[in-house]
């Protein structure tokens, strides 16, 4: 299942701001797409209560969640906004505990013992704990934190590859390891610093993770996270069983591109303008016989226009003129001396040849 975090992680993208209208349109499309959970924002965010109140009737059965720091004050803010599903951020690597928070492992576990029950007392029916920087944490402490979550009755542990250093093998191993000590649901939050986010998310789901975080176009901190359009399309078209509406996903890509001012490259998987175009002879020949020879899925499967020409024989409007100008010159020029008939190459004899 997918947690779309466009309105939380995506809203943290450098230079991106979604106004109320854009947020509502994004929620509508995500609900249409069939995403199981929308992370609608963070505790204390302006306008969060209004967004949750507006979306509550629309979103069913899509769950609405709110992200929060591991602080009692943040839990109170989330409760005041009307959140019933809370995602707590809990750093577990020594680097984050020491350099960022100035705390210890023991103090972190104690804080969890205070904050998780508070969330329950404030009406949170579902509490998820995101173990931040899990991919660089000491494995022994990571497992202890997961066991601690189990003792506290946490519903989900979300493993964050906060700086995108995992590969698919590492992502699968991390999920399998945590599942051995945590009986609840396991999720993953994969960053894309090495271009692995989509592959890691899909591999984690295959290894037993119940949830994977995604965002539209993958927007988020730095290079972003796993892309909704890629993960959802693969689950529908290759693994089967998923019921996501890929046309709504494509519409969400176009909307977020416009609202966030994030251009979509023409060859971007799933939503790029030219992902079904080709002009090489070998591919064009095959496509004319059967498009499936060089297409993993038909354009309509992801909401792309069916009528768009797949094989481009004519140059684009912005292409250089064809044939190029020099071909006209070549047709009328006698050419270089070595290319002319022998008679045309005759020249007056040199002075010494007359002697």
């Amino acid at each position: 299942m997918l947690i779309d975090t466009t309105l939380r992680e995506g809203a943290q993208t450098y230079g991106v701001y979604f106004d109320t209208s854009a947020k509502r349109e994004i929620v509508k499309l995500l609900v249409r797409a069939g995403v199981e959970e929308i992370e609608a924002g963070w505790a204390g965010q302006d306008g969060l209560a209004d967004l949750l109140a507006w979306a509550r009737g629309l979103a069913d059965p899509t769950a609405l969640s709110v992200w929060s720091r591991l602080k009692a004050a943040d839990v109170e803010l989330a409760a005041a906004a009307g959140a019933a599903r809370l995602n707590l951020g809990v750093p577990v690597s020594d680097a984050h505990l020491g350099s960022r928070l100035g705390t210890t492992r023991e103090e972190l576990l104690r804080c969890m013992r205070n904050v998780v029950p508070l969330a329950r007392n404030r009406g949170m029916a579902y509490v998820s704990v995101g173990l931040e920087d899990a991919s660089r944490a000491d494995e022994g402490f990571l497992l202890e934190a997961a066991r601690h979550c189990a003792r506290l009755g946490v519903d989900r542990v979300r493993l964050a590859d906060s700086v995108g250093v995992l590969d698919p093998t590492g992502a699968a191993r991390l999920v399998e390891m945590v599942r051995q000590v945590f009986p609840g649901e396991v999720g993953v939050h994969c960053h894309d610093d090495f271009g692995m986010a989509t592959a890691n998310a899909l591999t984690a789901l295959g290894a037993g993770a119940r949830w994977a975080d995604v965002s539209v176009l993958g927007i988020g901190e730095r290079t972003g996270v796993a892309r909704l359009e890629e993960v959802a399309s693969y689950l529908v078209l290759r693994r089967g069983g998923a019921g996501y509406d890929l046309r709504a996903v494509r519409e969400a890509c176009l909307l977020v591109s416009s609202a966030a001012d994030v251009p979509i490259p023409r060859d971007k998987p799933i939503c790029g303008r030219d992902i079904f175009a080709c002009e090489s002879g070998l591919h064009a020949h095959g496509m004319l016989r059967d498009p499936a020879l060089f297409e993993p899925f038909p354009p309509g499967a992801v909401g792309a226009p069916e009528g768009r020409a797949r094989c481009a024989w004519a140059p684009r409007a912005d292409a250089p003129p064809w044939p190029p100008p020099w071909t006209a010159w070549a047709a009328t020029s006698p050419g270089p001396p070595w290319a002319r008939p022998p008679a045309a190459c005759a020249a007056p004899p040199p002075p010494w040849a007359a002697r």
Side-chain angles (χ1 to χ4, degrees):
M1 295 195 289
L2 301 181
I3 306 167
D4 187 278
T5 185
T6 304
L7 296 179
R8 199 276 298 175
E9 175 78 43
Q12 294 171 204
T13 305
Y14 176 75
V16 168
Y17 171 76
F18 295 124
D19 61 22
T20 299
S21 175
K23 289 179 181 179
R24 292 188 175 190
E25 291 304 314
I26 291 169
V27 169
K28 288 179 185 177
L29 286 171
L30 293 176
V31 170
R32 261 186 56 201
V35 171
E36 289 85 359
E37 180 176 332
I38 298 172
E39 195 167 48
W42 57 88
Q45 184 181 15
D46 289 343
L48 178 63
D50 291 340
L51 180 64
L52 290 175
W54 170 84
R56 195 162 288 116
L58 170 76
D60 188 62
T62 300
L64 299 170
S65 61
V66 171
W67 187 90
S68 167
R69 295 176 298 175
L70 188 66
K71 289 181 174 292
D74 280 21
V75 173
E76 298 287 3
L77 288 171
R85 194 176 181 102
L86 192 66
N87 297 326
L88 290 166
V90 180
V92 289
S93 69
D94 290 333
H96 277 255
L97 291 175
S99 300
R100 174 181 154 201
L101 300 180
T103 191
T104 64
R105 297 177 179 182
E106 294 72 22
E107 181 62 21
L108 180 77
L109 298 178
R110 188 197 65 77
C111 190
M112 289 174 65
R113 283 195 297 270
N114 294 331
V115 174
V116 171
L118 174 64
R120 294 292 192 196
N121 291 335
R122 293 297 182 268
M124 305 298 173
Y126 189 97
V127 177
S128 172
V129 169
L131 300 179
E132 298 176 0
D133 207 22
S135 52
R136 296 190 297 175
D138 174 79
E139 287 186 2
F141 181 64
L142 173 64
L143 294 177
E144 176 54 30
R147 291 188 192 96
H148 199 56
C149 288
R151 289 191 291 267
L152 293 171
V154 168
D155 298 289
R156 177 177 65 206
V157 161
R158 194 157 56 157
L159 305 171
D161 183 18
S162 299
V163 291
V165 296
L166 288 177
D167 62 10
T169 302
R173 179 178 174 275
L174 195 66
V175 168
E176 291 165 355
M177 185 171 61
V178 171
R179 286 188 70 216
Q180 292 177 5
V181 301
F182 182 73
E185 297 178 336
V186 174
V188 291
H189 180 88
C190 302
H191 276 266
D192 203 38
D193 297 80
F194 286 94
M196 297 284 188
T198 292
N200 286 345
L202 287 166
T203 302
L205 289 171
R210 177 78 168 164
W211 299 88
D213 286 14
V214 293
S215 71
V216 179
L217 300 179
I219 62 173
E221 294 279 6
R222 302 184 315 280
T223 57
V225 295
R227 289 153 173 75
L228 167 64
E229 61 275 12
E230 295 174 2
V231 176
S233 295
Y234 197 88
L235 291 175
V236 170
L237 300 172
R238 298 301 301 166
R239 291 194 179 168
Y244 303 113
D245 182 340
L246 301 183
R247 292 179 178 273
V249 169
R250 184 181 178 88
E251 288 182 41
C253 291
L254 300 176
L255 170 63
V256 169
S257 173
S258 175
D261 193 23
V262 175
I264 299 176
R266 65 188 180 94
D267 59 350
K268 185 173 178 62
I270 309 303
C271 58
R273 183 190 73 229
D274 290 338
I275 60 173
F276 294 101
C278 78
E279 62 181 23
S280 78
L282 179 98
H283 281 219
H285 175 264
M287 294 277 287
L288 290 172
R289 288 177 176 268
D290 181 1
L293 291 173
F294 289 105
E295 288 180 354
F297 45 82
V302 293
E306 289 278 7
R308 182 174 177 79
R310 289 173 167 138
C311 299
W313 297 101
R316 299 187 306 271
D318 59 345
W322 187 266
W326 53 263
T327 57
W329 169 84
T332 57
S333 170
W338 51 263
R340 299 174 196 160
C345 294
W352 51 264
R355 294 177 188 171

